[in-house]
């Protein structure tokens, strides 16, 4: 019986691969080292699903990256954050491959990008080359691996998208060789009372269900006694071979008495729905414990295309005197699986743990717009800002606005407006709206100033305050000194930093000519590569200007010599 189940599982996974991969999508690997993953497709991230796979680069930068098939560069983007240096290649078979966090591009592409950067006098650029301008052959070097943008360590972020609708699809469905003989790991199971007067083990709040690992690797839960509509959620991860990273699970299926109630397949999604991750996970639990519970029932606002509900939105109607066998099965693309069985008995019991409701005068109907005033601040929530109804906690102290707390996720931007008419025009120049982060640390929010009002747009509740920044940024050299000979130097490096509102812009010139400085926020470093060769003069004067987000500026000058 076990062998039959295993074969069926493998056929199911093979069928899933066949939906996408075939002779018309015979892709080569993007790296010539073993593909070891630090992240998988659909992995649960902050406010979004991971749209590709993260391939380890042996803790190194500068590894050659290869085009997975012939094609043409359709987009190139250079940014301080996000994907950093990123390359998009469209292929004749209808797919687009994406390569991100790059250290640098191949010479032909690099020349194209630098020409654009110098023409726009900006490090951050984005371009959509005319089709066929930058052709690539299958297996040709297109770039080198790096750590640019929002990367937290050297790796290649790699995606496969449909060229038609830009939807990312799971790269592991295209037969890239990633060794994986490891079953997904189940850490915890939770049960949720979902209807009025429902309960699980005498609790009207969610409750963790104890598990016991069985000899065959499956899990058996302690008996659950429940009444009314209930649902389940899991904390789980997956590992591929040769890596200790806790990556995302490909599939989660919930069955009740042998019938499939829900299934989540991380095969593809659209970027427009990625923030709906906050309806798939138990967001308040994540905010408090940094632990993501994936719900196996469709919660309020969950319109995810990757979530399939076959029975009652995944809710299980429990009646007293009846027995139910619930199975939760976790699978990866390679066909490895982990199963947990949960025996449920319908039984009415006295409720010992009741919900803790916090009732306030400010009730939010998620489908309606709302506006509130608190001191010098006004808040406007458009309709459908939130996924479900709740009581909003609202208070203020001077210019500090306490707007509930971040445990309630917002789907749309809402607006906070401050009246600053009691400040002088000079003071307003250095004022901005800040979020109070952990340990009350001030975090700059992009502030739009219009006369006597300051506006910000946010998708996170919390505390906000008017703050003032009067200190200009700091600039210092890192690898050279005044009047130094730099004949054998490959680059100039400087450190730039700001202690409060953060750096908004920077610019540099050599002997009055604009030069390209690459900014790496993670190390607060800007770098100029002498290979650019924009001048051929022995005596050089460098000038760097850095401006923070409220307009404070600093200027650094230095003289040096080159042969």
């Amino acid at each position: 019986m076990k062998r039959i189940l295993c074969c069926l599982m493998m056929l199911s996974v093979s069928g899933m691969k066949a939906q996408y991969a075939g002779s018309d999508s015979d892709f080569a690997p993007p790296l010539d080292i073993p593909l070891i993953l630090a992240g998988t497709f659909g992995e649960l991230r902050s406010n979004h699903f991971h749209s590709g796979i993260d391939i380890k680069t042996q803790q190194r930068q500068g590894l050659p990256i290869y085009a997975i098939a012939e094609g043409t560069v359709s987009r190139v983007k250079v940014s301080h954050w996000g994907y950093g240096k990123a390359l998009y290649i469209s292929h004749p078979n209808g797919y687009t491959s994406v390569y991100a966090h790059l250290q640098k591009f191949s010479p032909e592409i690099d020349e194209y990008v630098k020409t654009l950067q110098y023409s726009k006098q900006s490090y951050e650029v984005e371009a959509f080359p005319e089709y066929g301008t930058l052709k690539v052959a299958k297996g040709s070097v297109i770039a080198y691996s790096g750590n640019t943008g929002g990367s937290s360590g050297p790796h290649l972020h790699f995606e496969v998208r449909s060229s038609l609708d830009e939807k990312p699809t799971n790269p592991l469905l295209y037969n890239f060789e990633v060794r994986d003989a490891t079953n997904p790991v189940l850490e915890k199971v939770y049960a949720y009372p979902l209807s009025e007067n429902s309960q699980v083990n005498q609790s009207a709040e969610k409750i963790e269900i104890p598990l016991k690992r069985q000899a065959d690797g499956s899990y058996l839960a302690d008996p659950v006694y429940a009444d009314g509509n209930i649902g389940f959620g899991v904390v789980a991860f997956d590992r591929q071979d040769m890596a200790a990273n806790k990556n995302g699970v490909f599939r989660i299926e919930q069955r009740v008495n042998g019938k499939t109630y829900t299934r989540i397949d991380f095969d593809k999604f659209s970027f427009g729905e990625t923030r709906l991750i906050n309806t798939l996970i138990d967001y308040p639990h994540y905010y408090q414990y940094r632990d993501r519970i994936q719900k196996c029932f469709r919660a309020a606002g969950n319109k995810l295309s990757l979530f399939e509900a076959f029975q009652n939105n995944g809710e299980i109607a429990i009646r007293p005197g009846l027995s139910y066998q619930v199975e939760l099965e976790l699978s990866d693309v390679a066909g490895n699986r982990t199963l947990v069985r949960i025996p449920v008995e319908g039984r009415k019991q006295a409720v010992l743990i009741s919900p803790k409701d916090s009732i306030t005068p400010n009730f939010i109907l998620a489908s309606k717009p709302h506006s509130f005033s608190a001191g010098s601040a006004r808040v406007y929530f458009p309709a459908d800002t939130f996924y479900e109804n709740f009581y909003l906690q609202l208070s203020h102290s001077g210019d500090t606005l306490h707007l509930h707390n971040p445990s309630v996720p917002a789907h749309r931007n809402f607006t906070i407006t401050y009246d600053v008419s009691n400040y002088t025009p000079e003071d307003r120049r250095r004022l901005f709206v800040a979020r109070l982060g952990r340990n009350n640390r001030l975090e700059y929010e992009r502030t739009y100033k219009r006369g006597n009002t300051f506006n910000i747009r946010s998708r996170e509740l919390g505390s906000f305050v008017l703050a003032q920044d009067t200190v200009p940024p700091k600039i210092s050299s890192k690898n050279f000194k005044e009047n130094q000979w730099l004949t054998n130097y490959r680059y100039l490096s400087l450190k730039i930093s700001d202690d409060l509102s953060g750096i908004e812009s920077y610019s540099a010139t050599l002997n009055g000519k604009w030069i390209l400085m690459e900014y790496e926020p993670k190390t607060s470093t800007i770098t100029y590569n002498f290979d650019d060769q924009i001048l051929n003069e022995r005596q050089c004067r460098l000038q760097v200007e850095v401006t923070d987000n409220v307009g404070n500026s600093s200027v650094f000058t230095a003289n040096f010599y080159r042969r």
Side-chain angles (χ1 to χ4, degrees):
M1 184 65 180
K2 289 181 184 178
R3 291 186 64 185
I4 293 173
L5 286 173
C6 183
C7 291
L8 288 173
M9 185 65 191
M10 291 300 293
L11 285 171
S12 174
V13 173
S14 298
M16 181 66 70
K17 288 186 177 183
Q19 293 179 31
Y20 302 97
S23 59
D24 65 338
S25 56
D26 183 20
F27 294 139
L31 290 160
D32 62 0
I33 59 174
L35 301 187
I36 302 173
L37 303 188
T40 50
F41 180 85
E43 201 165 271
L44 310 180
R45 302 286 178 91
S46 294
N47 297 310
H48 71 283
F49 296 107
H50 192 227
S51 55
I53 57 175
D54 289 339
I55 305 173
K56 291 174 177 283
T57 55
Q58 302 174 342
Q59 301 180 342
R60 294 187 290 162
Q61 299 189 52
L63 298 182
I65 295 172
Y66 304 95
I68 63 170
E70 69 168 299
T72 182
V73 175
S74 54
R75 182 185 179 191
V76 61
K77 185 173 183 179
V78 179
S79 175
H80 296 140
W81 306 101
Y83 283 6
K85 294 183 180 181
L87 198 59
Y88 301 70
I89 298 177
S90 294
H91 306 287
N93 59 12
Y95 297 102
T96 296
S97 55
V98 183
Y99 314 78
H101 307 308
L102 307 173
Q103 181 192 60
K104 59 182 179 180
F105 304 107
S106 65
E108 182 185 6
I109 299 172
D110 191 59
E111 181 181 358
Y112 175 91
V113 172
K114 281 200 173 178
T115 299
L116 183 64
Q117 289 172 316
Y118 272 95
S119 68
K120 293 181 175 295
Q121 295 193 354
S122 172
Y123 171 71
E124 292 192 299
V125 292
E126 183 175 17
F128 300 85
E130 186 177 343
Y131 191 87
T133 300
L134 296 171
K135 291 183 178 180
V136 300
K138 181 177 180 178
S140 62
V141 175
I142 54 174
Y144 296 87
S145 67
N147 188 34
T148 56
S151 171
S152 59
H155 73 280
L156 172 65
H157 173 86
F158 172 71
E159 299 179 15
V160 176
R161 300 183 184 181
S162 164
S163 298
L164 181 63
D165 57 20
E166 283 292 304
K167 286 186 178 181
T169 60
N170 194 328
L172 296 185
L173 296 171
Y174 297 87
N175 297 319
F176 292 108
E177 185 176 347
V178 177
R179 289 177 53 186
D180 186 358
T182 306
N183 292 336
V185 177
L186 177 68
E187 292 191 305
K188 299 173 185 176
V189 171
Y190 289 86
Y192 288 76
L194 297 177
S195 59
E196 187 177 0
N197 299 323
S198 65
Q199 54 94 357
V200 177
N201 291 352
Q202 298 186 283
S203 174
E205 295 268 83
K206 79 166 182 288
I207 189 169
E208 185 177 354
I209 306 301
L211 305 171
K212 294 185 180 68
R213 188 177 178 87
Q214 306 300 294
D216 63 357
S218 67
Y219 290 86
L220 179 63
D222 284 0
V224 171
Y225 302 100
D227 183 32
N229 280 18
I230 68 170
F232 289 94
V234 299
V235 178
F237 63 88
D238 190 32
R239 282 197 176 108
Q240 288 72 43
D241 296 358
M242 301 183 291
N245 301 76
K246 294 183 176 181
N247 298 330
V249 175
F250 172 66
R251 172 182 288 171
I252 301 175
E253 183 171 350
Q254 176 185 230
R255 297 187 291 268
V256 181
N257 294 338
K259 181 181 291 186
T260 298
Y261 268 46
T262 56
R263 185 170 64 230
I264 308 163
D265 281 337
F266 289 99
D267 53 0
K268 64 178 179 177
F269 61 86
S270 69
F271 287 107
E273 65 178 330
T274 188
R275 196 173 177 87
L276 291 171
I277 185 177
N278 295 328
T279 65
L280 179 63
I281 67 170
D282 184 332
Y283 194 89
H285 183 94
Y286 167 69
Y287 172 74
Q288 185 172 1
Y289 301 107
R290 287 295 182 262
D291 204 15
R292 292 184 175 96
I293 304 172
Q294 294 188 60
K295 299 174 183 176
C296 298
F297 54 92
R298 191 185 292 279
N302 183 346
K303 300 175 183 178
L304 287 165
S305 60
L306 52 78
F307 187 98
E308 295 184 273
F310 301 98
Q311 294 285 332
N312 198 32
N313 283 326
E315 297 186 16
I316 307 167
I318 305 299
R319 297 180 180 178
L322 298 181
S323 298
Y324 308 80
Q325 179 75 5
V326 178
E327 293 181 332
L328 305 177
E329 185 174 75
L330 317 176
S331 311
D332 61 25
V333 173
N336 305 299
R337 69 188 186 107
T338 297
L339 182 69
V340 57
R341 297 179 178 87
I342 309 169
V344 180
E345 295 290 334
R347 180 183 298 181
K348 281 188 176 292
Q349 294 180 296
V351 173
L352 302 181
I353 303 174
S354 300
K356 303 177 182 65
D357 291 330
S358 180
I359 299 175
T360 75
N362 309 309
F363 185 68
I364 297 288
L365 280 170
S367 61
K368 303 292 184 182
H370 296 272
S371 60
F372 302 95
S373 294
S376 60
R378 298 194 312 274
V379 185
Y380 175 70
F381 299 116
D384 300 316
T385 297
F386 302 101
Y387 301 111
E388 54 187 327
N389 307 335
F390 70 102
Y391 286 99
L392 178 77
Q393 298 173 9
L394 178 68
S395 63
H396 73 95
S397 176
D399 287 330
T400 301
L401 170 69
H402 300 290
L403 189 58
H404 208 78
N405 62 68
S407 67
V408 176
H411 186 70
R412 300 181 60 185
N413 280 309
F414 57 88
T415 304
I416 299 176
T417 302
Y418 271 94
D419 180 352
V420 295
S421 58
N422 60 325
Y423 288 92
T424 67
E426 180 62 26
D427 285 341
R428 287 178 212 162
R429 289 181 61 244
R430 301 294 180 254
L431 276 177
F432 65 96
V433 180
R435 175 185 299 278
L436 287 176
R438 294 185 181 275
N439 300 318
N440 287 327
R441 182 177 179 272
L442 295 176
E443 300 173 357
Y444 174 80
E445 293 281 332
R446 182 173 292 279
T447 305
Y448 302 91
K449 301 181 179 183
R450 299 178 179 87
N452 292 333
T453 60
F454 286 5
N455 295 281
I456 68 163
R457 302 179 72 210
S458 180
R459 283 196 289 191
E460 185 176 358
L461 299 173
S463 295
F464 302 84
V465 65
L466 285 176
Q468 191 172 50
D469 184 359
T470 60
V471 180
K474 295 179 181 179
I475 312 172
S476 60
S477 61
K478 288 187 68 175
N479 71 333
F480 66 96
K481 298 178 181 179
E482 177 72 14
N483 292 322
Q484 185 178 351
W485 281 92
L486 304 180
T487 302
N488 295 321
Y489 276 50
R490 293 185 297 108
Y491 60 88
L492 286 176
S493 182
L494 297 94
K495 183 179 180 64
I496 61 174
S497 62
D498 187 77
D499 66 346
L500 188 51
S501 63
I503 292 169
E504 195 275 331
S505 65
Y506 64 94
S507 183
T509 60
L510 267 182
N511 293 355
K513 297 182 179 180
W514 186 87
I515 58 173
L516 175 65
M517 302 287 283
E518 297 199 9
Y519 178 38
E520 178 46 79
K522 293 188 287 290
T523 59
S524 302
T525 301
I526 55 174
T527 303
Y528 167 68
N529 193 324
F530 282 117
D531 287 346
D532 286 359
Q533 295 178 343
I534 70 158
L535 78 167
N536 186 23
E537 300 177 30
R538 178 177 176 181
Q539 184 174 351
C540 303
R541 179 172 177 81
L542 172 70
Q543 180 171 305
V544 178
E545 183 174 3
V546 180
T547 304
D548 66 19
N549 279 297
V550 298
N552 300 307
S553 293
S554 295
V555 176
F556 172 93
T557 59
N559 297 288
F560 62 88
Y561 301 89
R562 280 179 64 84
R563 289 191 180 91

